[in-house]
Amino acid sequence: MGTCLFCDIAAGKIPCTEVHGDDDFLAFRDIDPKAPTHILVIPRGHVSGLSDLQDADQDMAGRLVLTASRIATAEGLDQAGYRFVINCGRDGGQTVDHLHLPILGGRAFGWPPG
Ligand code: AMP
Ligand code: ZN
């Protein structure tokens, strides 16, 4: 496997603004925020994206969503609301090929997305 930006962040080789860290997940602030709150939650283990999830990832994927939900609440977003946006592949707008669950909040979002 080649170098992966988010694996390097998870390993502490590249700095980030950490919001939450545990054995399995790391959450940090997006370097180019698209909303007042923009946090990326990643599994520490490398998974390229949604399309690469396997049966064995079921527990991880569930806990990824639960972890992100708790972070959103801790950030005070649960009352007004927020959005999780996992981009996948070229048309989905994915630019970093390490699964990341972005939490976006702090403003109202439009629908449909651009
Ligand atoms: P996506 O385009 O959905 O794959 O999301 C990748 C996100 O990673 C973008 O919102 C970038 O701004 C963000 N990003 C890229 N490099 C870094 C970094 N070094 N630290 C924090 N966020 C980053
Ligand atoms: Zn990775």
Side-chain angles (χ1 to χ4, degrees):
M1 191 172 69
T3 57
C4 168
L5 174 63
F6 286 177
C7 279
D8 283 351
I9 288 177
K13 296 178 190 168
I14 293 175
C16 71
T17 303
E18 183 173 329
V19 174
H20 167 88
D22 60 40
D23 287 350
D24 298 321
F25 302 103
L26 176 68
F28 52 96
R29 299 201 186 274
D30 196 288
I31 204 168
D32 181 19
K34 313 301 188 295
T37 300
H38 188 167
I39 294 166
L40 306 178
V41 189
I42 65 169
R44 289 189 184 276
H46 183 87
V47 177
S48 295
L50 285 176
S51 298
D52 299 288
L53 286 169
Q54 308 293 318
D55 285 350
D57 297 317
Q58 193 169 331
D59 181 62
M60 179 278 288
R63 288 186 297 113
L64 174 66
V65 174
L66 187 56
T67 299
S69 167
R70 287 177 174 157
I71 292 168
T73 298
E75 290 283 315
L77 299 174
D78 54 318
Q79 292 300 316
Y82 54 86
R83 193 172 282 181
F84 289 173
V85 187
I86 301 181
N87 297 328
C88 183
R90 184 195 59 200
D91 281 359
Q94 185 175 7
T95 60
V96 178
D97 290 336
H98 180 128
L99 180 63
H100 45 289
L101 195 168
I103 303 167
L104 291 154
R107 67 173 173 86
F109 300 102
W111 193 264

